[in-house]
Amino acid sequence: REVDEVLLDHPAIAQAVVFGMPHPKLGEEIAAAVVLKPESNATEQELRAFVLERLADFKTPRKILILP
């Protein structure tokens, strides 16, 4: 929930959901799927940097999928 809320604070994000993604050594790692607001633009790297400024590294999604 904490990561969801941080992602939703980004001005370009309309919807966000965080989930566990399989990892070969760790078991799971954090991933997220987001839908951008109309006319908004953001990259996965920009969104990861935004989260990393607000949360610890281990809470930052390793993969962010931007969905239509």
Side-chain angles (χ1 to χ4, degrees):
R1 180 162 168 89
E2 183 180 15
V3 181
D4 289 321
E5 291 174 5
V6 169
L7 283 167
L8 290 170
D9 283 343
H10 191 283
I13 295 180
Q15 298 176 31
V17 64
V18 175
F19 55 93
M21 185 172 73
H23 185 277
K25 293 183 181 177
L26 301 175
E28 276 190 342
E29 62 184 350
I30 299 172
V34 300
V35 175
L36 300 180
K37 293 177 181 174
E39 310 299 322
S40 292
N41 231 344
T43 66
E44 178 182 3
Q45 293 78 16
E46 290 172 334
L47 297 175
R48 286 192 77 243
F50 181 84
V51 175
L52 191 55
E53 289 176 1
R54 290 156 179 77
L55 296 175
D57 181 60
F58 73 93
K59 292 182 180 182
T60 301
R62 297 294 172 236
K63 179 74 176 162
I64 299 178
L65 305 169
I66 299 175
L67 305 173

